[in-house]
Each structure stands twice: as structure tokens, then as C-alpha cells.
Amino acid sequence: MADIECTSSCSSCGVEGCGDRTEEQTEATEAPVQNQYRPAKFELNKRSEIKYVVGVVSGKGGVGKSLVTGLLATEMQRRGFKVGILDADVTGPSIPKVFGIHYPLTSDKDGINAGSTSTGIRVMSVNLLLPEDDIPVAWRGPVVSGAIQQFWSETHWGKLDYLFVDMPPGTSDVFLTVFQSLPLDGIVTVSAPQELVNMIVGKAVNLSKDMEVPVLGLIENMAYFKCDECGKEHHIFGEPHAEKLAEKYGIPSHATLPIDPTFARLCDEGKIEDYQLNGELDSILDKIEEVTIIADNS
């Protein structure tokens, strides 16, 4: 990776003894969120054309965010769109695994050639730049943020209708880097039925609104398990909250996904594109298309 230049965001910088840190920048950390962060849009690679960018976020890990990203991308691809995924979970990348991409990426004088899944979804992830996929990425925040800039600016994406950004959990450095520096058209947030998860989802939703990025939908993963024998739905982690959460935070669409062992098996096999949904995510996909159609006509 190239050396990371100063982003002038001292509040998120982990570099100690930096000579560029100023008293004015340090005091800025006490300002409200909407006044603290100033957009500094990254330049897109000259061999790329991306129409719409959608982030997939969660306030907490372990809720299946990467699974949801893979399903959304796959379904959009099935609808006839050209799709890509930027794996912004730099320290815990999952996207190459679930799509079965293991080969190292190639590059030329203009940048890095994005990887491609079996159905043609374009992918960029740090795990496609490492010699082995189990090598740890122990980087401080500014370096991770710099990697996101390189994934956007130095990757040959080609022509894409939609780029999904698989975000790491939480609302720290990468969240802010993506929100302030990529042209996000909206986000989809992922939750699970537990009350704790719902509270943390609220933090991500509220921060998104503070930063004026629209929340397009809420997906509640692991909402129920459907018995193969009796066909009854069992709420193992508690009653689903997707509808109430969507109403509480003014989220225009919501959906639920079951606990399905097939998810785990296909992800382990790198064959997530083989999974066939039964319309569970149609409301979310329709909302994504609706928002982008409005943008086209504005």
C-alpha cells in the first residue's frame, strides 16, 4: 500500500507525535458531529464509471452484514444491473470468501484491476491483495481510511450501475471516511432481533441522518427459524423488531431474513450467488431503485 497522506482529520488520527497537529484541529473534536467533519470527496479512478453508491452498515458486528451485502449485490445483478462491492471492512474482510474469490489481483500503470465473481460482480477487498487470506491486518485508523481511498481511486471498476460498500461494524473511522468522502446515495442498515442490537442500530441511523445520508431500508437478519417438519416459524432470538424500528426511525422500507443453514454452507463454499431468495429483499431492492430513479430525474 502507498504511504498515507494526512487527511487533516486529527480527531480520528492515531499517529502520535505528528508535527502537523494543531491546537485549532484538536479543539475541533469538541464540535457537534454535523459541524466536525468536512467532506473531501475522493476522486474516482479514470477507468471507472459508477452511477450509484449504497452503503451496508450495522452498529454491531455479527449480525450478517456481509451476507446481506452479498445478497443485495447478487439480486441486483439478477435484475440486470452491473454491480460491484467495495469491501470497506479492511480489518475483517469477508466478501472474497463468500464469493469464492481467492486469486490475487493484478494491476497496471493506471491502478488495480478489480476481482470478479462467477456472475460478474466486481470486487475489491484487502484480502485480494494479501498472499494468504488469514494474514492479519493490524492497521491504525488513518491507514485504514487511506486504504478505502485507494480502493475507490486506484481500482478499475469499469462501468457499474451500483456499487455496494460493505462497512465494518460501528460508527468510527471507516464509517466517517466513507460517509464524508464517497458519493453515497443512501445506506441499508442490518440488525438482529436482540434489543441491544436495536439500540446500537439507532446510533448508526441517527449518525447517518446527521451527516445527511438517507437510510433506504432496514434488514433484520436471523429473525426466525422455519421448521422443516411443521413449517412453523420459531423466533429463537426474540420477536422481530424490523417493523417497529423502521417506524421509530422513519426508515422507508424493511425486510426480515430467516436463520437458514443454507446461508452458512454456501458462504463457506464461496457460492452465495447460488442462493435463491423468495422475495424477502424485494422491498429493499425496490426502494434502492426508486431512489436512484428519482436522482436520475432530478
Side-chain angles (χ1 to χ4, degrees):
M1 307 294 287
D3 292 339
I4 305 303
E5 296 182 356
C6 178
T7 63
S8 298
S9 180
C10 296
S11 61
S12 63
C13 181
V15 178
E16 299 180 0
C18 175
D20 294 327
R21 186 182 298 275
T22 67
E23 182 178 355
E24 179 181 355
Q25 291 169 322
T26 304
E27 290 175 352
T29 61
E30 301 175 359
V33 169
Q34 56 266 41
N35 296 325
Q36 179 181 352
Y37 305 102
R38 302 300 185 194
K41 301 293 183 182
F42 296 152
E43 183 179 350
L44 185 63
N45 181 271
K46 64 181 181 181
R47 285 166 54 182
S48 304
E49 182 181 317
I50 300 173
K51 291 183 178 180
Y52 308 109
V53 183
V54 178
V56 182
V57 311
S58 66
K60 188 178 186 302
V63 298
K65 175 182 48 57
S66 295
L67 166 70
V68 167
T69 302
L71 292 175
L72 288 173
T74 297
E75 290 301 306
M76 274 301 193
Q77 186 90 342
R78 288 173 179 162
R79 290 187 175 201
F81 296 104
K82 295 179 180 179
V83 181
I85 299 176
L86 190 159
D87 189 355
D89 193 354
V90 174
T91 60
S94 303
I95 293 299
K97 172 67 176 178
V98 302
F99 281 97
I101 307 175
H102 303 291
Y103 56 85
L105 299 180
T106 60
S107 63
D108 56 35
K109 63 182 179 62
D110 293 326
I112 307 168
N113 299 309
S116 182
T117 72
S118 61
T119 65
I121 297 172
R122 308 285 281 173
V123 173
M124 168 53 74
S125 173
V126 71
N127 258 19
L128 298 179
L129 302 173
L130 301 174
E132 300 291 340
D133 59 13
D134 59 353
I135 292 177
V137 179
W139 295 343
R140 290 186 181 273
V143 182
V144 174
S145 296
I148 301 302
Q149 177 177 2
Q150 290 184 291
F151 289 175
W152 175 263
S153 301
E154 298 183 20
T155 299
H156 305 152
W157 290 104
K159 292 185 177 182
L160 298 180
D161 295 303
Y162 293 97
L163 178 71
F164 289 93
V165 182
D166 184 24
M167 303 277 283
T171 54
S172 58
D173 286 1
V174 172
F175 189 100
L176 297 172
T177 295
V178 171
F179 272 57
Q180 72 183 21
S181 302
L182 300 189
L184 280 180
D185 294 280
I187 66 164
V188 174
T189 184
V190 184
S191 72
Q194 298 95 329
E195 286 287 349
L196 174 62
V197 175
N198 296 337
M199 179 269 291
I200 296 176
V201 165
K203 292 180 181 291
V205 170
N206 285 327
L207 182 55
S208 300
K209 291 180 178 179
D210 286 342
M211 300 186 75
E212 300 181 347
V213 177
V215 182
L216 306 179
L218 166 69
I219 299 174
E220 190 171 36
N221 192 27
M222 300 178 284
Y224 60 89
F225 173 76
K226 190 170 185 178
C227 178
D228 294 335
E229 297 183 0
C230 68
K232 183 180 178 180
E233 292 184 2
H234 300 274
H235 300 140
I236 295 174
F237 295 119
E239 293 292 324
H241 298 97
E243 184 174 1
K244 291 182 179 178
L245 273 176
E247 181 178 356
K248 178 179 179 180
Y249 294 109
I251 301 172
S253 62
H254 67 274
T256 58
L257 289 174
I259 299 172
D260 188 346
T262 306
F263 282 153
R265 178 176 60 81
L266 290 177
C267 286
D268 287 344
E269 295 175 356
K271 299 179 179 179
I272 192 173
E273 292 163 294
D274 291 347
Y275 192 85
Q276 297 294 326
L277 289 168
N278 294 313
E280 290 94 339
L281 297 183
D282 282 355
S283 63
I284 305 291
L285 296 165
D286 291 343
K287 176 55 65 175
I288 294 173
E289 284 197 58
E290 176 187 329
V291 169
T292 50
I293 289 172
I294 292 174
D296 277 344
N297 295 330
S298 62

